[in-house]
Amino acid sequence: MGSAEKNKKVAVAGVASILLVACVVAATVSGRRPGGADSGSGEVSTATKSVKTICAPTDYKETCERSLAGAKDTSDPKELIKVAFMVTVENITDAISKSKLLKEADKDPRTSDALDTCKELLKNSVDDLKRCFEKVENFNMENVKEFANDLKVWLSGAITQQQTCIDAFENTTGDTGEKMKHLLKTANELTSNGLAMTTHFTELLQTLEIPGLFNRRLLAAETKEEEVFPPFIDAATRRLLTTDPASIKHEIVVAKDGSGKYNSIVEALKTVPYKNKETVVIFIKAGVYKEHVEVPRKMNNIVFLGEGPTKTRITGNRNYVDGIGTYHTATVAIQGDGFIARNIGFENSAGSEKHQAVALRVSADMTIFYNCHIDGYQDTLYAHSYRQYYRDCTITGTIDFIFGDAAAVFQNCKMVVRKPLENQACMVTAQGRKEHRGVGTLVLQDCEILPDPALKSVNPPVKVYLGRPWKEYSRTVIMQSYIDGFIAPEGWAPWNGDFALDTLWYAEYQNRGSGASTASRVKWNGYKKNISPDIAQQFTAGMYLDGDVWIKPSGIPYESGMMKV
């Protein structure tokens, strides 16, 4: 064995152990106290090498060191993961159990709804940690970049799930929200630490300059087609996504007029096996479907094909004013990974007077929306978490109508601002990144930001902004897009006073239109008036989403890098 090969294997072994520990720390949410029964002697397993070194890049070092000190009975990294996961399940189960007690003590309906939402979200957070463990257990050197990206996306997702639980208590009475925040404090810190370690050691890997370590998968032009396409995008599905769906025979057909096997989308979804591995295509014929649809977690690889976004429409009217928390107001909620929608309309018809009313919530990884309309008023599209791609879509709304903490790229989409209630301003985006190492960003590339005709007729004119910071590390990039002149010259609005103005990251790059001038934009420290081409390139779908791997094979229109505008 040559010295270069030997060095590579040594480096790989060390990195694998480090990443294993990162997931252990993310999962160990027991909250042991120094000097307690579980504090131990301070010895650590051979896999950790040095607790202080491992915890060095984290923001919560004491919590990190305390959690590692408790897992001292085994030196096998995989056994450490199993032990840590057992502790995680016990901790989250304990939190859910205590939430039941909180629910019994607090009879406020909104608080009760928030506690139910938390129960669901905490289970999702555990699931994100679990798939990190599974990814690490199957670690190999074939594609380290994909491996590291997945970990960062899923750990960011686990953080978002926990934060969404806390958000559910906004505008509730009593102190139940604060109690839940306290219950999740250690979990929040340790998941953040796991993300910090994963990020730090991914960067360390890049400095090792190991040949071939970060090679991308070969594209279709360089290898056999069947070797590059992800399993949820098979050849038959690609044909469906690039031809007229009405001309193709489908196994599952939904039709309001009785010409299909099912009259509703919900009925059709009931026939899909839980944890299905094959692509399931559901053809939804033209019609207005008044139903609330959820594609549940682990029901992966579902494809919705409609006959056009103005012909095949799914509509509902759940809303905040009527007592439902924002998270559960969605007409359609996507939680199964690998979901694709083409030629579908998603709508929440509650109207502006009902405030928060989501048309579409996407809480799933590697999802694609092509030629879809997403219509509502406040909080229309909840791009909640994970990797998402939108192409040739139209999104309408008034306040924060594209919001969430997903890693989401919109290409060639229209964002249409509607007329709000009297004395309201409008914001196109409200990005919600809470963790400064989180992957979330809203990227609008070659899009059009336009006023609805009813908005243009309002006198005096409504103030309209590109966005505002929902969370401390809100991040939004608008590039190569058309911005109409109705956008306020300052461009961006504060959330509340000076909250997040120094920590957000907003950028505009190569935009056009009478509203694109940055001469009078806000002077916040977090606003980037000028970014380099290299930085802008980092937010293109190919680099930011690794879209050549999972978007390009779908056959849906897609630009890996900068658009030709």
Side-chain angles (χ1 to χ4, degrees), residues 304-316:
F304 281 3
L305 285 181
E307 294 194 88
T310 62
K311 296 179 179 178
T312 300
R313 295 184 63 79
I314 311 170
T315 184

Side-chain angles (χ1 to χ4, degrees), residues 88-287:
T88 306
V89 172
E90 291 171 3
N91 182 272
I92 296 297
T93 301
D94 183 57
I96 293 173
S97 176
K98 289 178 179 177
S99 73
K100 292 179 180 178
L101 295 175
L102 294 174
K103 187 173 181 179
E104 292 174 1
D106 193 329
K107 302 299 184 181
D108 174 59
R110 288 200 183 276
T111 302
S112 178
D113 179 73
L115 288 165
D116 289 340
T117 300
C118 268
K119 182 178 178 180
E120 174 185 344
L121 290 161
L122 293 179
K123 288 182 179 179
N124 293 345
S125 187
V126 168
D127 188 57
D128 281 328
L129 296 171
K130 183 177 179 180
R131 58 178 170 177
C132 280
F133 310 151
E134 292 171 350
K135 189 79 174 181
V136 172
E137 284 191 303
N138 296 317
F139 176 78
N140 63 65
M141 294 305 299
E142 294 301 316
N143 195 337
V144 174
K145 181 178 180 181
E146 177 194 356
F147 171 84
N149 285 349
D150 284 349
L151 286 183
K152 287 187 283 188
V153 167
W154 297 338
L155 285 169
S156 295
I159 292 169
T160 300
Q161 301 287 348
Q162 294 167 24
Q163 181 58 43
T164 307
C165 164
I166 302 302
D167 290 341
F169 291 94
E170 291 181 359
N171 301 318
T172 60
T173 60
D175 61 353
T176 303
E178 287 300 316
K179 290 178 179 177
M180 180 57 71
K181 187 183 296 185
H182 177 74
L183 284 174
L184 293 176
K185 181 178 182 295
T186 303
N188 294 159
E189 291 179 357
L190 288 168
T191 314
S192 171
N193 285 347
L195 180 59
M197 281 185 266
T198 302
T199 302
H200 175 75
F201 289 110
T202 301
E203 293 169 353
L204 178 62
L205 264 180
Q206 292 173 318
T207 67
L208 296 177
E209 298 183 354
I210 301 173
L213 189 64
F214 277 86
N215 281 355
R216 303 174 65 85
R217 289 186 186 176
L218 295 176
L219 300 182
E222 300 166 327
T223 188
K224 293 181 180 179
E225 186 177 84
E226 61 268 22
E227 294 176 347
V228 68
F229 291 123
F232 55 85
I233 304 179
D234 56 23
T237 304
R238 291 195 297 277
R239 286 195 296 271
L240 290 172
L241 292 171
T242 55
T243 58
D244 179 7
S247 66
I248 302 171
K249 183 178 179 180
H250 300 81
E251 291 185 4
I252 300 180
V253 179
V254 180
K256 294 291 291 184
D257 61 8
S259 61
K261 189 174 182 179
Y262 304 98
N263 293 323
S264 79
I265 303 163
V266 171
E267 288 178 9
L269 283 171
K270 288 178 181 178
T271 67
V272 179
Y274 182 62
K275 294 186 178 181
N276 61 291
K277 295 182 179 180
E278 301 297 324
T279 300
V280 176
V281 179
I282 300 176
F283 178 41
I284 308 170
K285 287 191 172 184

Side-chain angles (χ1 to χ4, degrees), residues 33 177 259 406 476 490:
R33 297 180 180 276
S259 61
T476 303
E490 58 268 36

Side-chain angles (χ1 to χ4, degrees), residues 110 316-324 326 329 348-358 377-379 398-399 421 424:
R110 288 200 183 276
N317 61 2
R318 291 178 178 170
N319 62 85
Y320 178 80
V321 170
D322 288 348
I324 301 173
T326 303
T329 63
N348 192 308
S349 62
S352 57
E353 67 278 3
K354 294 292 187 176
H355 299 289
Q356 296 95 326
V358 176
Y377 287 86
Q378 184 172 346
D379 293 359
T398 54
I399 300 171
L421 296 175
Q424 284 184 332

Side-chain angles (χ1 to χ4, degrees), residues 471-483:
K471 302 296 181 184
E472 289 89 333
Y473 297 96
S474 180
R475 186 165 61 183
T476 303
V477 179
I478 301 177
M479 61 185 185
Q480 298 187 300
S481 294
Y482 175 83
I483 303 175

Side-chain angles (χ1 to χ4, degrees), residues 508-526:
E508 299 176 59
Y509 180 77
Q510 289 187 352
N511 294 313
R512 60 194 185 278
S514 54
S517 173
T518 59
S520 300
R521 289 294 195 250
V522 293
K523 308 299 182 184
W524 307 336
N525 289 336

